[in-house]
Amino acid sequence: MSVASSSIHFILLADESAEWKVAGLRQLDRVARAVNEFCSDRQGARLQIVWKLGLAVADWEMPPTPHVHIETVKMAESHLSGACLLSTHLLIDRGGMASLYNVSLTSTAGSASSDLSWDDLAESFRSWSVQHQNDNRLWRPIWLKDDIARAERDFLRGAGKSQDGLVSRFLNRPISRSVTRFLLRYPISPTQWTVAIFVLPVISFFLLQLGDYGAILLGTALFQLFSILDGCDGEIARAKYSESEAGGRLDHVCDQAGNILFLVGLGLGLFHRYHPATAGLFYWREAVLCAALITVHELVLGFSRRQATVVSAGLTPALYRRHRWMIEHSGIGLFGEKFVWWLMQLTKRDVSILAFLFLVMADLPQWILHLWLTVTLGGIILTGMATLRARRNRVGTV
């Protein structure tokens, strides 16, 4: 069956595994949401759920699936010809349904005749999954409850973002995934987690402003912890299909507010450490200036997000949308894709915060202000160049 078909038909074989909770969702809910996500740009899609004989299904509530019609039918009422056969034993990664659909799974159901039993189809699916389970890592079968822990770990390895920096990939994500696995056992929403961990930069602010070595070190360590745990809300959202623009905006606002609190707290701490020497006042003013410039820069980039386009196949996945606009119009791409990639990687938030911790350990906290201000000024220059070039291009096309 062609993916471009106007009507896509799925048959989902459901048994006791439908109630297994994996990474925060029941298996039946996850498969239904995966099908719904896959059918978001298609018309007439339907999912027929066929339960194993003898199982009670009255308590199951339909998940929100606006792009696919879901119905529970008996085996004799299912339409097998050309249908894509699925099972609640299948753990599907986000975006994995498209790859799964393209592995000729329809031929298994399409060749079935109407006199096949539920067990016959289940065995057919098991044979297919054994044959194809090593094709890629976007789906995996879970036959026993004892397999859930391993399947969750594999599933969450794909819960990161393509924009993750080097530190996030090799340090932050491994830690945040372990925390997320624990959090997914409870009804914690991504927004609740975003708000809950914001206490960390607040505590960090009060420690930093004390100014002594131990307080600044502890405050910076808490800020590093905030950076690590900040990945959990996105991992929860992607695992539960609960992403939202409002949640993304809240996460970004909390990140920037945390940055401001850290800068102001560190500026006050250095002021107290060096007061009444001139250096104390200088560091305080540098911190306030940097915080103000970051705020202005983020507002400008936020306004420019809707104008973002694809930069290049190699760079686009690694850049946030607001940065793609800046890279595209500033002209920095003339230095080459590799140069831009490394420049963005080394100035990402995760890399910077870990570098800040090392600077504090070396008792050089003032260099945090110097480096942060330098990077912020560089970003503002690039944004200014991008704004002028984009405006000039618009005028030239009128």
Side-chain angles (χ1 to χ4, degrees), residues 104-123:
S104 301
L105 184 57
T106 50
S107 63
T108 304
S111 63
S113 61
S114 58
D115 59 349
L116 287 177
S117 68
W118 189 96
D119 289 330
D120 290 332
L121 285 183
E123 182 58 34

mmCIF file of all heavy atoms in Angstrom, residues 104-123:
data_model
loop_
_atom_site.group_PDB
_atom_site.id
_atom_site.type_symbol
_atom_site.label_atom_id
_atom_site.label_comp_id
_atom_site.label_asym_id
_atom_site.label_seq_id
_atom_site.Cartn_x
_atom_site.Cartn_y
_atom_site.Cartn_z
ATOM 1 N N SER A 104 6.786 -3.287 4.668
ATOM 2 C CA SER A 104 5.890 -4.270 4.056
ATOM 3 C C SER A 104 5.093 -5.052 5.080
ATOM 4 O O SER A 104 4.798 -6.236 4.889
ATOM 5 C CB SER A 104 6.675 -5.249 3.161
ATOM 6 O OG SER A 104 7.363 -4.554 2.150
ATOM 7 N N LEU A 105 4.775 -4.406 6.203
ATOM 8 C CA LEU A 105 3.956 -5.076 7.210
ATOM 9 C C LEU A 105 2.550 -5.338 6.678
ATOM 10 O O LEU A 105 1.874 -6.260 7.109
ATOM 11 C CB LEU A 105 3.886 -4.224 8.473
ATOM 12 C CG LEU A 105 3.148 -4.806 9.686
ATOM 13 C CD1 LEU A 105 3.773 -6.134 10.073
ATOM 14 C CD2 LEU A 105 3.184 -3.847 10.848
ATOM 15 N N THR A 106 2.098 -4.556 5.699
ATOM 16 C CA THR A 106 0.755 -4.736 5.148
ATOM 17 C C THR A 106 0.601 -6.078 4.460
ATOM 18 O O THR A 106 -0.498 -6.606 4.386
ATOM 19 C CB THR A 106 0.450 -3.629 4.127
ATOM 20 O OG1 THR A 106 1.532 -3.554 3.204
ATOM 21 C CG2 THR A 106 0.280 -2.304 4.821
ATOM 22 N N SER A 107 1.699 -6.632 3.946
ATOM 23 C CA SER A 107 1.589 -7.909 3.246
ATOM 24 C C SER A 107 1.162 -9.028 4.191
ATOM 25 O O SER A 107 0.497 -9.968 3.790
ATOM 26 C CB SER A 107 2.926 -8.281 2.588
ATOM 27 O OG SER A 107 3.926 -8.455 3.565
ATOM 28 N N THR A 108 1.533 -8.925 5.479
ATOM 29 C CA THR A 108 1.147 -9.945 6.446
ATOM 30 C C THR A 108 -0.357 -9.980 6.620
ATOM 31 O O THR A 108 -0.988 -11.031 6.594
ATOM 32 C CB THR A 108 1.819 -9.666 7.812
ATOM 33 O OG1 THR A 108 3.215 -9.605 7.620
ATOM 34 C CG2 THR A 108 1.465 -10.730 8.817
ATOM 35 N N ALA A 109 -0.959 -8.792 6.802
ATOM 36 C CA ALA A 109 -2.410 -8.748 6.983
ATOM 37 C C ALA A 109 -3.131 -8.898 5.658
ATOM 38 O O ALA A 109 -4.211 -9.455 5.583
ATOM 39 C CB ALA A 109 -2.812 -7.439 7.646
ATOM 40 N N GLY A 110 -2.506 -8.387 4.605
ATOM 41 C CA GLY A 110 -3.173 -8.410 3.323
ATOM 42 C C GLY A 110 -3.359 -9.810 2.789
ATOM 43 O O GLY A 110 -4.291 -10.082 2.031
ATOM 44 N N SER A 111 -2.482 -10.710 3.174
ATOM 45 C CA SER A 111 -2.589 -12.071 2.673
ATOM 46 C C SER A 111 -3.482 -12.937 3.536
ATOM 47 O O SER A 111 -3.712 -14.101 3.241
ATOM 48 C CB SER A 111 -1.191 -12.705 2.608
ATOM 49 O OG SER A 111 -0.631 -12.781 3.908
ATOM 50 N N ALA A 112 -3.968 -12.337 4.633
ATOM 51 C CA ALA A 112 -4.785 -13.121 5.549
ATOM 52 C C ALA A 112 -6.192 -13.293 5.001
ATOM 53 O O ALA A 112 -6.725 -12.423 4.343
ATOM 54 C CB ALA A 112 -4.826 -12.438 6.920
ATOM 55 N N SER A 113 -6.787 -14.383 5.292
ATOM 56 C CA SER A 113 -8.163 -14.623 4.871
ATOM 57 C C SER A 113 -9.105 -14.398 6.031
ATOM 58 O O SER A 113 -8.702 -14.372 7.189
ATOM 59 C CB SER A 113 -8.309 -16.057 4.338
ATOM 60 O OG SER A 113 -7.984 -16.996 5.352
ATOM 61 N N SER A 114 -10.383 -14.279 5.731
ATOM 62 C CA SER A 114 -11.350 -13.886 6.753
ATOM 63 C C SER A 114 -11.584 -14.971 7.796
ATOM 64 O O SER A 114 -12.175 -14.706 8.837
ATOM 65 C CB SER A 114 -12.680 -13.530 6.075
ATOM 66 O OG SER A 114 -13.144 -14.649 5.328
ATOM 67 N N ASP A 115 -11.144 -16.207 7.528
ATOM 68 C CA ASP A 115 -11.389 -17.263 8.496
ATOM 69 C C ASP A 115 -10.245 -17.432 9.493
ATOM 70 O O ASP A 115 -10.247 -18.349 10.296
ATOM 71 C CB ASP A 115 -11.646 -18.596 7.776
ATOM 72 C CG ASP A 115 -10.465 -19.017 6.898
ATOM 73 O OD1 ASP A 115 -9.565 -18.186 6.691
ATOM 74 O OD2 ASP A 115 -10.489 -20.170 6.422
ATOM 75 N N LEU A 116 -9.225 -16.538 9.439
ATOM 76 C CA LEU A 116 -8.154 -16.600 10.411
ATOM 77 C C LEU A 116 -8.646 -16.172 11.785
ATOM 78 O O LEU A 116 -9.480 -15.276 11.919
ATOM 79 C CB LEU A 116 -7.002 -15.697 9.976
ATOM 80 C CG LEU A 116 -6.146 -16.172 8.795
ATOM 81 C CD1 LEU A 116 -5.101 -15.117 8.467
ATOM 82 C CD2 LEU A 116 -5.472 -17.505 9.098
ATOM 83 N N SER A 117 -8.111 -16.791 12.820
ATOM 84 C CA SER A 117 -8.472 -16.428 14.186
ATOM 85 C C SER A 117 -7.533 -15.351 14.698
ATOM 86 O O SER A 117 -6.523 -15.025 14.072
ATOM 87 C CB SER A 117 -8.373 -17.664 15.082
ATOM 88 O OG SER A 117 -7.014 -18.068 15.209
ATOM 89 N N TRP A 118 -7.867 -14.804 15.880
ATOM 90 C CA TRP A 118 -7.007 -13.802 16.516
ATOM 91 C C TRP A 118 -5.622 -14.395 16.771
ATOM 92 O O TRP A 118 -4.608 -13.744 16.520
ATOM 93 C CB TRP A 118 -7.633 -13.347 17.825
ATOM 94 C CG TRP A 118 -6.962 -12.163 18.462
ATOM 95 C CD1 TRP A 118 -7.315 -10.861 18.365
ATOM 96 C CD2 TRP A 118 -5.781 -12.196 19.289
ATOM 97 N NE1 TRP A 118 -6.445 -10.058 19.070
ATOM 98 C CE2 TRP A 118 -5.485 -10.847 19.650
ATOM 99 C CE3 TRP A 118 -4.948 -13.193 19.755
ATOM 100 C CZ2 TRP A 118 -4.413 -10.513 20.458
ATOM 101 C CZ3 TRP A 118 -3.865 -12.870 20.555
ATOM 102 C CH2 TRP A 118 -3.601 -11.533 20.895
ATOM 103 N N ASP A 119 -5.586 -15.634 17.258
ATOM 104 C CA ASP A 119 -4.298 -16.269 17.547
ATOM 105 C C ASP A 119 -3.477 -16.471 16.277
ATOM 106 O O ASP A 119 -2.239 -16.370 16.313
ATOM 107 C CB ASP A 119 -4.532 -17.614 18.237
ATOM 108 C CG ASP A 119 -5.042 -17.451 19.658
ATOM 109 O OD1 ASP A 119 -4.701 -16.432 20.294
ATOM 110 O OD2 ASP A 119 -5.776 -18.337 20.139
ATOM 111 N N ASP A 120 -4.149 -16.772 15.164
ATOM 112 C CA ASP A 120 -3.426 -16.930 13.897
ATOM 113 C C ASP A 120 -2.728 -15.620 13.510
ATOM 114 O O ASP A 120 -1.558 -15.612 13.110
ATOM 115 C CB ASP A 120 -4.390 -17.347 12.779
ATOM 116 C CG ASP A 120 -4.893 -18.762 12.960
ATOM 117 O OD1 ASP A 120 -4.163 -19.578 13.558
ATOM 118 O OD2 ASP A 120 -6.022 -19.052 12.524
ATOM 119 N N LEU A 121 -3.469 -14.496 13.625
ATOM 120 C CA LEU A 121 -2.880 -13.203 13.281
ATOM 121 C C LEU A 121 -1.775 -12.821 14.260
ATOM 122 O O LEU A 121 -0.757 -12.243 13.870
ATOM 123 C CB LEU A 121 -3.957 -12.125 13.255
ATOM 124 C CG LEU A 121 -4.898 -12.116 12.045
ATOM 125 C CD1 LEU A 121 -5.867 -10.945 12.145
ATOM 126 C CD2 LEU A 121 -4.123 -12.056 10.747
ATOM 127 N N ALA A 122 -1.983 -13.129 15.534
ATOM 128 C CA ALA A 122 -0.965 -12.816 16.532
ATOM 129 C C ALA A 122 0.326 -13.578 16.244
ATOM 130 O O ALA A 122 1.432 -13.032 16.362
ATOM 131 C CB ALA A 122 -1.473 -13.145 17.930
ATOM 132 N N GLU A 123 0.198 -14.844 15.865
ATOM 133 C CA GLU A 123 1.384 -15.624 15.533
ATOM 134 C C GLU A 123 2.043 -15.111 14.259
ATOM 135 O O GLU A 123 3.277 -15.091 14.143
ATOM 136 C CB GLU A 123 0.997 -17.095 15.369
ATOM 137 C CG GLU A 123 2.174 -18.020 15.068
ATOM 138 C CD GLU A 123 3.248 -17.958 16.143
ATOM 139 O OE1 GLU A 123 2.909 -17.773 17.333
ATOM 140 O OE2 GLU A 123 4.449 -18.083 15.789
#
